[in-house]
mmCIF file of all heavy atoms in Angstrom:
data_model
loop_
_atom_site.group_PDB
_atom_site.id
_atom_site.type_symbol
_atom_site.label_atom_id
_atom_site.label_comp_id
_atom_site.label_asym_id
_atom_site.label_seq_id
_atom_site.Cartn_x
_atom_site.Cartn_y
_atom_site.Cartn_z
ATOM 1 N N TYR A 3 21.017 -59.596 -124.638
ATOM 2 C CA TYR A 3 21.290 -60.952 -124.184
ATOM 3 C C TYR A 3 20.767 -61.941 -125.215
ATOM 4 O O TYR A 3 19.641 -61.812 -125.702
ATOM 5 C CB TYR A 3 20.605 -61.223 -122.845
ATOM 6 C CG TYR A 3 21.200 -60.464 -121.677
ATOM 7 C CD1 TYR A 3 20.487 -59.467 -121.040
ATOM 8 C CD2 TYR A 3 22.474 -60.769 -121.218
ATOM 9 C CE1 TYR A 3 21.026 -58.780 -119.962
ATOM 10 C CE2 TYR A 3 23.026 -60.087 -120.147
ATOM 11 C CZ TYR A 3 22.303 -59.092 -119.520
ATOM 12 O OH TYR A 3 22.846 -58.414 -118.463
ATOM 13 N N MET A 6 19.151 -64.982 -122.378
ATOM 14 C CA MET A 6 18.524 -64.620 -121.110
ATOM 15 C C MET A 6 17.811 -63.288 -121.254
ATOM 16 O O MET A 6 18.040 -62.550 -122.203
ATOM 17 C CB MET A 6 19.577 -64.507 -119.992
ATOM 18 C CG MET A 6 20.154 -65.831 -119.533
ATOM 19 S SD MET A 6 21.207 -65.640 -118.073
ATOM 20 C CE MET A 6 21.698 -67.347 -117.804
ATOM 21 N N LYS A 7 16.970 -62.992 -120.288
ATOM 22 C CA LYS A 7 16.351 -61.681 -120.180
ATOM 23 C C LYS A 7 16.956 -60.963 -118.978
ATOM 24 O O LYS A 7 17.513 -61.602 -118.075
ATOM 25 C CB LYS A 7 14.834 -61.819 -119.997
ATOM 26 C CG LYS A 7 14.109 -62.430 -121.190
ATOM 27 C CD LYS A 7 12.617 -62.459 -120.923
ATOM 28 C CE LYS A 7 11.847 -62.942 -122.158
ATOM 29 N NZ LYS A 7 12.124 -64.342 -122.460
ATOM 30 N N ALA A 8 16.833 -59.652 -118.947
ATOM 31 C CA ALA A 8 17.375 -58.875 -117.838
ATOM 32 C C ALA A 8 16.791 -59.350 -116.511
ATOM 33 O O ALA A 8 17.494 -59.423 -115.496
ATOM 34 C CB ALA A 8 17.083 -57.389 -118.054
ATOM 35 N N GLU A 9 15.504 -59.701 -116.508
ATOM 36 C CA GLU A 9 14.884 -60.164 -115.267
ATOM 37 C C GLU A 9 15.437 -61.516 -114.813
ATOM 38 O O GLU A 9 15.432 -61.829 -113.612
ATOM 39 C CB GLU A 9 13.359 -60.230 -115.403
ATOM 40 C CG GLU A 9 12.857 -61.000 -116.601
ATOM 41 C CD GLU A 9 12.545 -60.111 -117.789
ATOM 42 O OE1 GLU A 9 13.288 -59.129 -118.012
ATOM 43 O OE2 GLU A 9 11.563 -60.400 -118.494
ATOM 44 N N ASP A 10 15.918 -62.322 -115.777
ATOM 45 C CA ASP A 10 16.557 -63.592 -115.415
ATOM 46 C C ASP A 10 17.826 -63.330 -114.603
ATOM 47 O O ASP A 10 18.105 -64.028 -113.629
ATOM 48 C CB ASP A 10 16.923 -64.401 -116.662
ATOM 49 C CG ASP A 10 15.714 -64.890 -117.425
ATOM 50 O OD1 ASP A 10 14.665 -65.088 -116.793
ATOM 51 O OD2 ASP A 10 15.816 -65.068 -118.646
ATOM 52 N N ILE A 11 18.590 -62.331 -115.030
ATOM 53 C CA ILE A 11 19.826 -61.989 -114.337
ATOM 54 C C ILE A 11 19.520 -61.578 -112.899
ATOM 55 O O ILE A 11 20.174 -62.038 -111.950
ATOM 56 C CB ILE A 11 20.563 -60.836 -115.057
ATOM 57 C CG1 ILE A 11 20.731 -61.138 -116.547
ATOM 58 C CG2 ILE A 11 21.891 -60.558 -114.385
ATOM 59 C CD1 ILE A 11 21.530 -62.362 -116.861
ATOM 60 N N ILE A 12 18.508 -60.736 -112.727
ATOM 61 C CA ILE A 12 18.120 -60.284 -111.396
ATOM 62 C C ILE A 12 17.678 -61.460 -110.533
ATOM 63 O O ILE A 12 18.073 -61.583 -109.371
ATOM 64 C CB ILE A 12 16.986 -59.240 -111.491
ATOM 65 C CG1 ILE A 12 17.488 -57.991 -112.216
ATOM 66 C CG2 ILE A 12 16.448 -58.893 -110.111
ATOM 67 C CD1 ILE A 12 16.392 -56.989 -112.553
ATOM 68 N N HIS A 13 16.897 -62.351 -111.126
ATOM 69 C CA HIS A 13 16.380 -63.502 -110.383
ATOM 70 C C HIS A 13 17.512 -64.425 -109.931
ATOM 71 O O HIS A 13 17.521 -64.895 -108.787
ATOM 72 C CB HIS A 13 15.388 -64.276 -111.246
ATOM 73 C CG HIS A 13 14.824 -65.485 -110.586
ATOM 74 N ND1 HIS A 13 13.858 -65.419 -109.605
ATOM 75 C CD2 HIS A 13 15.101 -66.812 -110.741
ATOM 76 C CE1 HIS A 13 13.557 -66.644 -109.192
ATOM 77 N NE2 HIS A 13 14.294 -67.504 -109.871
ATOM 78 N N ILE A 14 18.461 -64.671 -110.815
ATOM 79 C CA ILE A 14 19.578 -65.555 -110.474
ATOM 80 C C ILE A 14 20.424 -64.936 -109.369
ATOM 81 O O ILE A 14 20.839 -65.620 -108.417
ATOM 82 C CB ILE A 14 20.439 -65.845 -111.714
ATOM 83 C CG1 ILE A 14 19.657 -66.729 -112.697
ATOM 84 C CG2 ILE A 14 21.747 -66.536 -111.327
ATOM 85 C CD1 ILE A 14 20.326 -66.899 -114.053
ATOM 86 N N LYS A 15 20.686 -63.645 -109.464
ATOM 87 C CA LYS A 15 21.467 -62.980 -108.424
ATOM 88 C C LYS A 15 20.760 -63.051 -107.078
ATOM 89 O O LYS A 15 21.387 -63.313 -106.033
ATOM 90 C CB LYS A 15 21.724 -61.522 -108.803
ATOM 91 C CG LYS A 15 22.755 -61.329 -109.904
ATOM 92 C CD LYS A 15 23.062 -59.858 -110.119
ATOM 93 C CE LYS A 15 24.183 -59.669 -111.122
ATOM 94 N NZ LYS A 15 24.542 -58.238 -111.297
ATOM 95 N N GLU A 16 19.453 -62.846 -107.081
ATOM 96 C CA GLU A 16 18.688 -62.932 -105.835
ATOM 97 C C GLU A 16 18.735 -64.347 -105.256
ATOM 98 O O GLU A 16 18.866 -64.532 -104.040
ATOM 99 C CB GLU A 16 17.240 -62.513 -106.083
ATOM 100 C CG GLU A 16 17.072 -61.028 -106.350
ATOM 101 C CD GLU A 16 15.635 -60.654 -106.687
ATOM 102 O OE1 GLU A 16 14.839 -61.578 -106.974
ATOM 103 O OE2 GLU A 16 15.328 -59.446 -106.682
ATOM 104 N N GLN A 375 16.967 -70.785 -116.021
ATOM 105 C CA GLN A 375 15.806 -70.612 -115.149
ATOM 106 C C GLN A 375 14.560 -71.328 -115.629
ATOM 107 O O GLN A 375 14.291 -71.417 -116.816
ATOM 108 C CB GLN A 375 15.521 -69.121 -114.990
ATOM 109 C CG GLN A 375 16.589 -68.385 -114.215
ATOM 110 C CD GLN A 375 16.829 -69.007 -112.868
ATOM 111 O OE1 GLN A 375 15.994 -68.917 -111.984
ATOM 112 N NE2 GLN A 375 17.967 -69.655 -112.692
#
Side-chain angles (χ1 to χ4, degrees):
Y3 291 112
M6 288 188 180
K7 295 183 175 67
E9 52 264 37
D10 293 332
I11 309 299
I12 296 171
H13 179 76
I14 291 171
K15 286 186 175 183
E16 289 176 346
Q375 292 305 289

